[in-house]
Amino acid sequence: MPETALKTRPATTESETAVDVIGISKLFGSNQEIRALDDVSVAIRKNEFFTLLGPSGCGKTTLLRVIAGFEPPTRGSLHLGGRDISRLAPNQRPINTVFQNYALFPHMSVANNIAFGLEMLGKPKNDIRDKVTEMLQLVRMEELRSRRTSEISGGQQQRVALARALAPQPEVLLLDEPLSALDLKLRKEMQIELKRLQSETGLTFIFVTHDQEEALTMSDRIAVMNAGKILQVGSPREIYAHPSERFVANFIGESNFLNAHLSGNRVTLEAGGGTYEAVAPEGVADGKVSVLVRPEHASARPGEAAGEELAATVETVVYSGDATSLHLRLKTGETLKTKMPNGPEQSTAFGEGDAAAVTIAPGAVTILKD
Ligand code: ATP
């Protein structure tokens, strides 16, 4: 692991805030009719890999551009390390951005691309040389330092873009879908590389993606966005296991939504079966509710339901190597997907039209705000 100056920053505790986004709204259009950000507040911690996740047009890039200073907010303010930076120009903020298209200079060498920003800052020549070498080590590109960036691969260009953005030692690195131009294999490699860079440098990374799997595997915390708002902030585990509302549950992972009745902390499904213990989110009262069950938390056996099992009919059997998914019809007419790992025998006992008896794992029922 190369010794970097970035690494020698004092360690910070998890709860220290790096970027505080306070009530930011951003309106576009001649009549300000496009609400790209709608009263967004979030505290992004020091040293964390923080991801903005959401569908196209939800406001991720706009929020990143507001943090970078490329876009003034219509309302709200932005603090960095406790200081109000809302009115600072982009180059006055200790923040750097890696863009989707990398924006490298194709006719310049790898080393000169990395040096460029430092030269613009008027750094002494010797310091620039040392810093470029250090950055090349950090992204493991020493051998290609003299190559033009038009003559290196997409993954290597990505590394150069990262090295260039890290060279001026920003406190926060913004990354706008930086892996989207790479093929799947390279994208997986760069995901690991980005995680490594983030933990070695100890910087705050704010990463934008619409790819839920990428968000789950890379992030310390995720903010799920829709229509200019942050719907939920939490660790990948929290967001997946306890989505606060239907949109979040639907956007991350596969979901079954079922009608149910809530009484205290007990849930009864309309489709029958036993009762399940679940905690109602704030604002959800006793009575009719909607619940989430992940397919991997429901299992089925062939035959008629007995006791607390749910009665179902098999509509489709989907084999995917490591697992078999069943698409089931419940007696209410609702559908339920199950996903069960395949054992070494790889046999499936189910045929279409068969009766199935479903068991939902304890603790697997999540009550949703609709
Ligand atoms: P994507 O994943 O497609 O990049 P996004 O989540 O990053 O989407 P934004 O680019 O932040 O979304 O856009 C949010 C909304 O604001 C969209 O409706 C978009 O059309 C609108 N918008 C963004 N920039 C402008 C602009 N300069 N002028 C007008 N509308 C804009």
Side-chain angles (χ1 to χ4, degrees):
M1 187 164 72
E3 276 301 315
T4 71
L6 293 169
K7 231 185 83 195
T8 59
R9 285 225 173 91
T12 51
T13 62
E14 197 188 60
S15 58
E16 276 185 79
T17 299
V19 179
D20 214 356
V21 174
I22 304 165
I24 289 211
S25 293
K26 178 69 192 178
L27 309 181
F28 288 113
S30 46
N31 295 316
Q32 303 220 305
E33 69 281 9
I34 303 164
R35 196 172 281 270
L37 294 174
D38 187 2
D39 195 16
V40 169
S41 293
V42 61
I44 299 164
R45 298 168 186 156
K46 283 188 179 165
N47 299 356
E48 84 173 330
F49 198 117
F50 190 87
T51 297
L52 301 172
L53 173 69
S56 183
C58 72
K60 308 179 293 289
T61 298
T62 304
L63 181 53
L64 213 65
R65 289 175 58 78
V66 166
I67 295 172
F70 300 128
E71 209 68 81
T74 311
R75 273 189 292 280
S77 65
L78 192 74
H79 292 239
L80 194 134
R83 186 166 68 114
D84 190 339
I85 59 160
S86 312
R87 291 176 195 285
L88 293 184
N91 62 2
Q92 293 174 314
R93 302 181 183 200
I95 296 175
N96 232 339
T97 308
V98 178
F99 297 98
Q100 200 168 346
N101 58 7
Y102 316 148
L104 297 174
F105 300 113
H107 58 282
M108 276 170 31
S109 69
V110 164
N112 286 343
N113 263 279
I114 299 170
F116 186 79
L118 300 172
E119 283 162 4
M120 291 292 103
L121 291 170
K123 300 276 183 204
K125 268 200 155 40
N126 283 349
D127 290 3
I128 294 178
R129 205 185 47 232
D130 292 348
K131 183 52 99 182
V132 168
T133 301
E134 181 190 319
M135 289 299 114
L136 285 167
Q137 282 169 0
L138 184 70
V139 297
R140 299 175 178 163
M141 287 281 291
E142 297 110 300
E143 281 164 24
L144 295 179
R145 64 179 300 144
S146 307
R147 208 55 94 74
R148 285 181 186 203
T149 53
S150 56
E151 295 163 351
I152 59 176
S153 72
Q156 290 163 341
Q157 287 179 20
Q158 175 64 263
R159 285 166 203 267
V160 177
L162 280 163
R164 187 181 58 178
L166 289 168
Q169 290 187 248
E171 289 172 33
V172 178
L173 192 68
L174 309 178
L175 303 112
D176 192 359
E177 305 234 16
L179 308 182
S180 60
L182 307 177
D183 65 42
L184 184 65
K185 187 163 176 288
L186 200 52
R187 203 156 76 217
K188 298 264 176 218
E189 281 170 29
M190 285 307 297
Q191 286 176 2
I192 296 166
E193 184 71 12
L194 272 181
K195 273 298 270 185
R196 178 185 70 83
L197 281 175
Q198 192 266 333
S199 63
E200 277 186 20
T201 58
L203 299 186
T204 303
F205 277 28
I206 308 179
F207 183 84
V208 160
T209 184
H210 61 266
D211 181 332
Q212 46 119 358
E213 195 198 333
E214 197 160 274
L216 288 175
T217 53
M218 298 177 74
S219 317
D220 293 316
R221 287 192 308 152
I222 299 170
V224 181
M225 295 184 69
N226 190 36
K229 284 184 180 295
I230 291 183
L231 303 183
Q232 189 173 4
V233 179
S235 69
R237 218 171 268 277
E238 284 162 355
I239 298 262
Y240 184 82
H242 302 292
S244 61
E245 54 194 282
R246 184 182 275 255
F247 180 89
V248 177
N250 216 7
F251 196 72
I252 298 190
E254 284 201 88
S255 309
N256 292 301
F257 298 112
L258 298 172
N259 293 321
H261 189 274
L262 172 69
S263 174
N265 61 350
R266 305 295 304 178
V267 171
T268 318
L269 301 180
E270 275 183 10
T275 64
Y276 302 89
E277 202 167 311
V279 181
E282 215 175 299
V284 176
D286 279 7
K288 200 167 152 47
V289 290
S290 182
V291 299
L292 162 75
V293 176
R294 296 289 189 191
E296 67 274 22
H297 297 150
S299 58
R301 62 165 187 85
E304 300 299 328
E308 303 213 318
E309 290 172 322
L310 285 168
T313 310
V314 178
E315 293 207 323
T316 320
V317 181
V318 181
Y319 173 76
S320 58
D322 60 338
T324 298
S325 299
L326 301 177
H327 294 206
L328 304 168
R329 182 75 56 186
L330 302 174
K331 65 182 186 199
T332 48
E334 294 167 298
T335 55
L336 179 80
K337 266 186 275 177
T338 65
K339 187 177 182 187
M340 293 176 287
N342 286 328
E345 277 147 39
Q346 297 278 317
S347 67
T348 173
F350 293 98
E352 284 166 22
D354 287 355
V358 178
T359 302
I360 293 171
V365 172
T366 301
I367 304 167
L368 297 168
K369 275 191 293 186
D370 257 323

